[in-house]
Amino acid sequence: MKLCIDHADTDEIRRICAVYPIDGVSTNPSILAKSGRPPYEVLKEIRSIIGPEGELFVQAVSPDAEGAVAEAKRILAETGDRTLVKIPCTPEGFRAMKLLRAEGIRFIGTAVYTAMQGFLAAKCGAEYVAPYVNRIDNLGLDGVKVAKDIHDAITRNGLDSGLLAASFKNSQQVLELVKYGVKAVTVSPDVIDGFVKNAEISSAVDRFVRDFEGLCGEGKTMLDC
Ligand code: G3P
C-alpha cells in the first residue's frame, strides 16, 4: 500500500518525507490555495522533494472535459510525466476521463462520495479512485465502508484501478483501510504525526536511555560503553 501526503506546505512535506516511507504527494485546488503561492511554483518544489519517481497528484479545475484535457497536458509538461491528473467524478469529469484515456494520460477520479462514482471512474480507466472518507462520515454515512465497497467493486470486476483514499481525520480511519489492503492512502501531516503520537511510546524509549545510562554512564551508547 502506498502512503502519500495530502498537503502543499513544502516545509511540512520535507519534514514528513525525511521521517516516514512516503510514496507521493497529493494536492487539490483548496490545498494549493492554502499555500498562498503560485501553483506551478509549489508543485515544482514538491516534485523536487519527492523526485522523478514519486507520485504527484494535481487536480484540473476546468468545468468542461476539453478544458480538463488541456490542463492535464500543461500539468504534465510542468511537473513531469509521473504526475497523475485528478478529475472530479461528475458527468463531465467522466467524459474528460474517456478523452484522457484515449490519449494515454494517467488520471485519478476524485471528489468521490459514493461507491458508484468510484466504480464508474475505475471503468473509465482511472488509475486511482479517491473516496473522501471523513467528509462522507460527516454526512452521517460510513466513509470507511464506502471506500471498502469501491475497493471490492474494483477487485471483483477485475478493473485495473485501486483506491487513493483521502480526507482522513484520525489514525483509525487510515488503519481500517491499511488492514483492508487498499492501493494507497493520502494523509495530512498532522494525521501522519498522530500514527505514533503516544505518551507511552516516548516514556518507554526514555526509560531505555535512562537505564542504559545508569549502567554505563551519562551520554553513553552501544558505541562507547
Ligand atoms: O484531496 C481531497 C481530500 O484530501 C480532502 O480532504 O481534509 O479537505 O476533507 P479534506
Side-chain angles (χ1 to χ4, degrees), residues 6 28 86 132 135 166-167 169:
D6 201 26
N28 64 32
K86 296 173 76 177
Y132 287 1
R135 292 194 195 187
S167 177
K169 286 294 166 282

Side-chain angles (χ1 to χ4, degrees), residues 12-26:
E12 280 291 87
I13 291 168
R14 264 192 206 87
R15 179 180 71 79
I16 295 289
C17 283
V19 176
Y20 297 103
I22 297 298
D23 299 293
V25 172
S26 64

Side-chain angles (χ1 to χ4, degrees), residues 22-87:
I22 297 298
D23 299 293
V25 172
S26 64
T27 64
N28 64 32
S30 306
I31 287 172
L32 287 174
K34 274 185 209 150
S35 81
R37 297 171 57 190
Y40 286 118
E41 178 187 295
V42 73
L43 291 167
K44 285 178 182 176
E45 190 177 340
I46 294 171
R47 169 59 74 203
S48 76
I49 297 168
I50 62 178
E53 294 304 312
E55 301 269 37
L56 177 61
F57 300 88
V58 181
Q59 192 161 328
V61 294
S62 297
D64 64 292
E66 286 75 14
V69 173
E71 273 186 88
K73 290 177 181 171
R74 170 86 192 275
I75 289 166
L76 296 188
E78 296 276 358
T79 65
D81 58 12
R82 279 294 287 181
T83 300
L84 286 102
V85 181
K86 296 173 76 177
I87 303 290

Side-chain angles (χ1 to χ4, degrees), residues 7-195:
H7 217 56
D9 178 322
T10 50
D11 289 338
E12 280 291 87
I13 291 168
R14 264 192 206 87
R15 179 180 71 79
I16 295 289
C17 283
V19 176
Y20 297 103
I22 297 298
D23 299 293
V25 172
S26 64
T27 64
N28 64 32
S30 306
I31 287 172
L32 287 174
K34 274 185 209 150
S35 81
R37 297 171 57 190
Y40 286 118
E41 178 187 295
V42 73
L43 291 167
K44 285 178 182 176
E45 190 177 340
I46 294 171
R47 169 59 74 203
S48 76
I49 297 168
I50 62 178
E53 294 304 312
E55 301 269 37
L56 177 61
F57 300 88
V58 181
Q59 192 161 328
V61 294
S62 297
D64 64 292
E66 286 75 14
V69 173
E71 273 186 88
K73 290 177 181 171
R74 170 86 192 275
I75 289 166
L76 296 188
E78 296 276 358
T79 65
D81 58 12
R82 279 294 287 181
T83 300
L84 286 102
V85 181
K86 296 173 76 177
I87 303 290
C89 292
T90 60
E92 195 64 13
F94 293 132
R95 204 165 73 76
M97 290 179 198
K98 296 204 299 183
L99 296 174
L100 289 169
R101 185 181 205 177
E103 297 214 31
I105 296 173
R106 298 168 68 205
F107 59 92
I108 96 161
T110 195
V112 172
Y113 289 78
T114 72
M116 279 309 293
Q117 263 184 303
F119 173 68
L120 287 171
K123 251 186 97 57
C124 286
E127 198 166 317
Y128 294 90
V129 172
Y132 287 1
V133 173
N134 195 69
R135 292 194 195 187
I136 296 169
D137 283 353
N138 285 344
L139 296 174
L141 303 170
D142 184 340
V144 166
K145 179 165 190 313
V146 170
K148 287 179 175 177
D149 285 346
I150 297 170
H151 174 89
D152 290 346
I154 288 170
T155 53
R156 289 176 186 163
N157 285 281
L159 296 169
D160 189 13
S161 186
L163 296 194
L164 173 71
S167 177
F168 293 102
K169 286 294 166 282
N170 61 63
S171 296
Q172 185 61 25
Q173 292 166 332
V174 181
L175 177 62
E176 288 299 321
L177 294 179
V178 171
K179 288 192 297 185
Y180 212 62
V182 304
K183 187 173 181 182
V185 294
T186 187
V187 187
S188 61
D190 59 321
V191 175
I192 292 176
D193 285 333
F195 293 167

Side-chain angles (χ1 to χ4, degrees), residues 199-210:
E200 286 303 314
I201 300 171
S202 315
S203 158
V205 174
D206 290 348
R207 180 65 190 256
F208 289 138
V209 172
R210 276 201 314 276

